[in-house]
Amino acid sequence: MFETIADYIHRTNASIDLGPDESLIINQLWNSFPQSVTFIPGDFNVSMTQAPDWARNPIMQSFIYHFIRKSKKHIENCEWQRQDPLQLPYSQNQRSKKLIAAWKDSPPAHYDMGEILRVEPVANLLAVYPELTVSGTWKHGLAINEDRLTPDDDTSIPYLMLSRFLIRLGVNARRFQLNTAGSLAND
């Protein structure tokens, strides 16, 4: 593979900027062995600068974490090995603890949380059960905004709160199905 890359560089007099080494290797692998290349999901690799809520959460839920700049201060608190029983990202949440205790090793394939007020129970279920899909209804309205706020929240604007909710789910957000009730235009 490296000989092929070097030969190409020599033939073109390196007149083409081919990119960094890892790009050259990936391109060569894809061109030579496409049947052997398996792409991993993007959530395999998490940048803590792009996911600051996850930098503060010490429970690893992805395979590779990149602690960059300000997020480096969270490295020492990170739990690098998952334990048995699995740690919960939000260990104080009673709703998820009750469901986990009831389901044990046999969760349903799908669970509807109903109206969603907080991210904690959803995040815990998705962290413990990697095959589980969770759905919930996001209800827009000022009456329940106060119930959703946590000390980390920096907004009470409903559509921004939904964004924060999904960010806090991190890599597990892809297994969350959002149901909506009401409309943002009415808030």
Side-chain angles (χ1 to χ4, degrees), residues 53 56 90 93 117-121 138 144-156 161 164-165 168:
D53 290 316
R56 287 190 291 270
Y90 301 97
N93 184 265
L117 298 175
R118 308 201 55 85
V119 72
E120 290 87 350
W138 185 264
I144 58 174
N145 281 350
E146 292 303 316
D147 293 336
R148 293 184 186 169
L149 295 177
T150 68
D152 292 330
D153 286 317
D154 53 11
T155 183
S156 63
M161 289 178 70
R164 299 283 297 180
F165 177 90
R168 285 193 179 113

Side-chain angles (χ1 to χ4, degrees), residues 2 9-10 25 37 46 48 50 54-55 59 83 91 103 126 147 151 153-154 159 165 171 179 185:
F2 289 108
I9 290 172
H10 291 297
I25 293 168
V37 175
V46 177
M48 292 297 104
Q50 295 168 345
W54 280 58
I59 308 299
Q83 298 173 11
S91 60
W103 294 342
L126 292 174
D147 293 336
D153 286 317
D154 53 11
Y159 66 88
F165 177 90
V171 299
N179 307 317

Side-chain angles (χ1 to χ4, degrees), residues 113-145:
M113 297 288 295
E115 185 177 301
I116 299 168
L117 298 175
R118 308 201 55 85
V119 72
E120 290 87 350
V122 177
N124 284 349
L125 292 177
L126 292 174
V128 172
Y129 299 111
E131 303 300 320
L132 177 65
T133 300
V134 174
S135 64
T137 302
W138 185 264
K139 237 180 143 172
H140 304 294
L142 298 175
I144 58 174
N145 281 350

Side-chain angles (χ1 to χ4, degrees), residues 16-153:
I16 301 171
D17 183 6
L18 299 172
D21 294 345
E22 59 271 15
S23 294
L24 293 173
I25 293 168
I26 291 168
N27 289 340
Q28 184 60 39
L29 286 171
W30 180 250
N31 289 330
S32 300
F33 311 101
Q35 70 283 359
S36 300
V37 175
T38 301
F39 290 97
I40 57 177
D43 55 15
F44 182 88
N45 194 349
V46 177
S47 166
M48 292 297 104
T49 299
Q50 295 168 345
D53 290 316
W54 280 58
R56 287 190 291 270
N57 187 337
I59 308 299
M60 295 281 289
Q61 294 182 56
S62 182
F63 294 96
I64 300 172
Y65 274 22
H66 295 277
F67 289 91
I68 304 166
R69 294 189 291 259
K70 291 181 181 178
S71 65
K72 286 183 178 179
K73 66 184 177 188
H74 300 287
I75 290 176
E76 287 182 25
N77 297 327
C78 193
E79 298 206 17
W80 300 99
Q81 300 284 325
R82 297 300 302 266
Q83 298 173 11
D84 189 15
L86 290 173
Q87 311 96 305
L88 299 176
Y90 301 97
S91 60
Q92 302 303 312
N93 184 265
Q94 294 304 313
R95 182 176 182 189
S96 57
K97 283 181 162 182
K98 288 176 185 173
L99 290 169
I100 292 166
W103 294 342
K104 296 184 174 70
D105 293 332
S106 301
H110 178 264
Y111 181 71
D112 187 351
M113 297 288 295
E115 185 177 301
I116 299 168
L117 298 175
R118 308 201 55 85
V119 72
E120 290 87 350
V122 177
N124 284 349
L125 292 177
L126 292 174
V128 172
Y129 299 111
E131 303 300 320
L132 177 65
T133 300
V134 174
S135 64
T137 302
W138 185 264
K139 237 180 143 172
H140 304 294
L142 298 175
I144 58 174
N145 281 350
E146 292 303 316
D147 293 336
R148 293 184 186 169
L149 295 177
T150 68
D152 292 330
D153 286 317

